[in-house]
Every structure is written in C-alpha cells, then in structure tokens.
Amino acid sequence: MTLTSDPHLKTRSTARRETEQRILDAAEQVFAEFGFRGATMGQIAARADLPKANLHYYFDTKLTLYRLVVERIFRIWLQAADTFDDCDEPREALSRYIRAKMDISRRFPNGSKVWANEILQQAPVIQDYLETTLEDWTNSRIEVLNRWISEGRIRAIDGRTLLYMIWATTQHYADFNHQIHTLNKGDMLSDAQFDLAKETVVSIILQGVGIAPEPMGEAS
C-alpha cells in the first residue's frame, strides 16, 4: 500500500485541513473585532474552541495567522476579478465583477473588515503586499479598462477611480453592515433587498461608463 492510499493518512490530512480552516475562521472574526494589536492568540484559540497550545502547533505566531487571513480575502477578491480575463465584453465583465464583489461582502464581511482596519492603520503589516501584488493587479485591470476606452467601448473615464468606486461601494456592505442593518430597522437585508442593492449598484456604474444597463430584474 502506498502512502497516498493509506486511509488513515487521508483522514489525518483532512482533519488537519479542517482544523486549520476553523482556526483561520476564528482568527478572522477576532482580528475583525479587535484589530491586529488588540487580538491575542488566546482569544483566537477560545473562538476556535481549541487549547492555546494546539493553536501554536498549527500556527506559530499571531503575525503568521494575520497575514494568512488578509491573503485569503485578497485571493477571494482576485478570483472575483477573473471576469476581466475570461470575458472581453465590458457590460458582462463589469456586471459580473460588481455582483461577485457584493456577494463576497455578504459572505465574508469579517475578512473585508480586517483589510479595512489594516489600511486605516496605514498598513503596518501588509504594506509590502500593497506595493507589489495589489499594485500589479490594479495596473493590469486599468490596462483592460484603458483598452476598452481606446476601442470606444466605454466612456473616457479614469480607470483607477472607477476601481476605487467599485471597491468602496461593494465593500461598504461588509465594512458598514451594522449601519446598514440599523437603517433597515435592525434587520439584515433580505435576499430581495440585497439583490435590489446589487443590481442598483451595477446599473449606476454601467451608466457611469456609458453602458446601458439591463432592465432591473433581468440580470443573469
């Protein structure tokens, strides 16, 4: 029997991945509430329902955990922007990107809050990430937008500002979800309310770049 076919090894490997995921989820919640400085490994262990010693077995430092949490939400955001690569039709690419970013804010609000808190503190931990990965990615999206402009497919707008607007609007539904819930009479947005918000954002941004949006309710 080979090592890879040993069911006991597979079980241990699966259990380890599940535990690591549970720790990352707990760390994301704690970092969102207390920030990097205020969070402790003890709080994360308690949230993950693990002894602190077990936590250190999987992740040796708080910094390691923090960077993994930040990188995870960033990878999710990058995947949402794949529409710029697999679709060269501006209406579809932008619509899918905006909808995906809105959905991510609803599904992963804590990750977005961790990122926002880090930026508000002038990125003491992930500045290198901003200056490399994020800058390269942003420039590549702007190139696509500028090509669409040169081809007359969207209005002559500043691509960087457009991206900032999309980020600010979509991530508002994560970073300020308490404010949204309060203004919604203390309730979370229903599926219908969220879908309306999502399609409203898509419609406004498409019109801003000179693309006639689909009629509300007919989005794919």
Side-chain angles (χ1 to χ4, degrees), residues 80-189:
D82 284 347
T83 57
F84 283 80
D85 300 317
D86 59 28
C87 175
D88 197 42
E89 203 285 305
R91 181 207 304 274
E92 182 179 354
L94 288 169
S95 298
R96 284 169 51 193
Y97 178 50
I98 295 165
R99 291 182 186 121
K101 286 285 277 90
M102 291 279 285
D103 288 336
I104 291 167
S105 287
R106 198 180 196 194
R107 293 174 56 206
F108 304 100
N110 288 322
S112 182
K113 289 174 184 175
V114 173
W115 182 279
N117 288 336
E118 171 74 9
I119 301 304
L120 287 171
Q121 298 299 318
Q122 300 185 36
V125 178
I126 65 164
Q127 183 64 29
D128 60 322
Y129 215 72
L130 302 184
E131 294 175 351
T132 54
T133 306
L134 180 59
E135 183 174 4
D136 292 343
W137 177 89
T138 301
N139 289 338
S140 70
R141 303 306 93 173
I142 292 172
E143 287 179 6
V144 174
L145 293 169
N146 285 341
R147 177 169 57 79
W148 288 342
I149 292 169
S150 67
E151 294 170 353
R153 301 166 73 184
I154 63 173
R155 285 183 51 229
I157 47 87
D158 178 61
R160 187 175 302 273
T161 301
L162 174 62
L163 290 176
Y164 292 166
M165 289 179 64
I166 293 173
W167 299 347
T169 303
T170 58
Q171 287 160 231
H172 175 86
Y173 287 84
D175 303 340
F176 290 86
N177 59 357
H178 176 73
Q179 176 174 277
I180 291 171
H181 298 165
T182 300
L183 296 176
N184 195 43
K185 299 181 180 179
D187 295 325
M188 296 179 63
L189 295 182

